Amino acid sequence: ILASILSFIIYWIIRDRYRVRNVNGKHVFITGCDTGLGNSLAKWLDRKGFCVIAACATEKGSQELQSCSSLSLKTVNLNLADSNSIARAVVFVTEQTAGKGLFGLVSNAEGAAPVGPTDWLRIEDFHSVLDVSLLGLIEITLKLLPLLKKAEGRVVNLINARGLMAFVGGGYSLSKWGMEAFSDTLRIEMQHFGVKVSIVEHGFFKAEEVNSDIIEKDLFKLWNRLTPEIKDSYGEKYL
């Protein structure tokens, strides 16, 4: 038993010391790079020497990222709720990799998430989250799989761990649980091609501190559009 435990510890130490060598020419595509975790990761990988392709939702985000990065970092505009935008981004990534394949895909996206009881919500409130944080990420992953298989690359899905605790209504938790399931099945299927699939469950970051004023404003917005019947069933005291 002691020998097994010691062997496991040695394996764990060796595994955690593993670093990717010869990063020159290795392309990594990251979504959600305007701010927050995606932005920080793009800068960090750029400093390490990777060929970073950063997807930003706004032109302002692209310009600010390029202004503090090396010339090798490229940006592309991406709206994950728009299939045409996804297709254009895939073409851009294909051109940038120039037949080498894609070494890494890092999926990081947060759709707008109204917070409130489920029957205060409409189907479009679910779409505003799921179209970006679930279906959009799945679509761009599917379209980039040929490049990932060519390079025997890896998929890393960044999933906010607070989304795995379903304590509010809406699409936020649904999108996180959905990405977990998608990642787990994809991992098994891609083993045959040498493509690794990982999940990083992260928590709060300083850049993502909850603004209670915004949550309260959104809550009242939901309340004000309710029918009189639903308002009466909850009452002002509940609000």
Side-chain angles (χ1 to χ4, degrees), residues 76-91 140:
V76 59
N77 291 335
L78 175 63
N79 177 5
L80 285 168
D82 181 358
S83 292
N84 291 327
S85 179
I86 290 174
R88 288 192 294 269
V90 170
V91 170
I140 199 162

Side-chain angles (χ1 to χ4, degrees), residues 17-24 26:
R17 285 183 174 178
Y18 175 75
R19 295 290 183 273
V20 176
R21 309 296 179 187
N22 301 320
V23 301
N24 290 334
K26 286 183 167 61

Side-chain angles (χ1 to χ4, degrees), residues 30-73:
I30 310 170
T31 67
C33 293
D34 294 80
T35 59
L37 190 55
N39 183 276
S40 298
L41 181 61
K43 294 174 183 175
W44 187 79
L45 290 177
D46 179 52
R47 291 195 298 269
K48 292 292 182 181
F50 286 92
C51 298
V52 177
I53 306 171
C56 298
T58 64
E59 190 62 35
K60 179 183 177 182
S62 295
Q63 292 174 355
E64 290 180 349
L65 181 56
Q66 286 178 320
S67 68
C68 56
S69 305
S70 74
L71 294 176
S72 66
L73 184 143

Side-chain angles (χ1 to χ4, degrees), residues 94-230:
T94 303
E95 292 172 348
Q96 291 296 314
T97 54
K100 298 178 182 178
L102 186 61
F103 180 76
L105 166 62
V106 182
S107 292
N108 168 56
E110 295 285 319
V115 175
T118 298
D119 64 346
W120 291 20
L121 303 172
R122 300 171 180 172
I123 192 63
E124 53 263 33
D125 296 322
F126 287 85
H127 276 295
S128 68
V129 182
L130 298 177
D131 288 350
V132 174
S133 298
L134 180 59
L135 298 178
L137 291 180
I138 290 175
E139 183 175 354
I140 199 162
T141 301
L142 295 177
K143 290 185 175 180
L144 288 173
L145 280 179
L147 295 178
L148 289 160
K149 288 158 69 175
K150 188 169 188 175
E152 293 189 358
R154 64 268 300 121
V155 178
V156 180
N157 290 323
L158 306 181
I159 301 175
N160 196 314
R162 72 178 184 265
L164 302 179
M165 298 176 287
F167 57 90
V168 292
Y172 191 81
S173 294
L174 289 175
S175 69
K176 305 310 172 190
W177 282 99
M179 281 305 295
E180 292 266 347
F182 174 71
S183 302
D184 288 342
T185 53
L186 187 66
R187 182 184 304 113
I188 296 169
E189 296 161 355
M190 287 295 107
Q191 284 179 350
H192 175 73
F193 302 99
V195 175
K196 299 179 177 64
V197 180
S198 302
I199 299 169
V200 176
E201 295 173 349
H202 62 84
F204 282 103
F205 287 86
K206 189 173 183 180
E208 296 181 321
E209 288 177 348
V210 175
N211 189 324
S212 58
D213 292 336
I214 295 177
I215 293 177
E216 185 174 329
K217 181 181 178 181
D218 289 342
L219 190 63
F220 275 100
K221 188 183 295 184
L222 292 175
W223 173 263
N224 290 331
R225 76 181 190 187
L226 293 177
T227 63
E229 291 80 8
I230 296 179

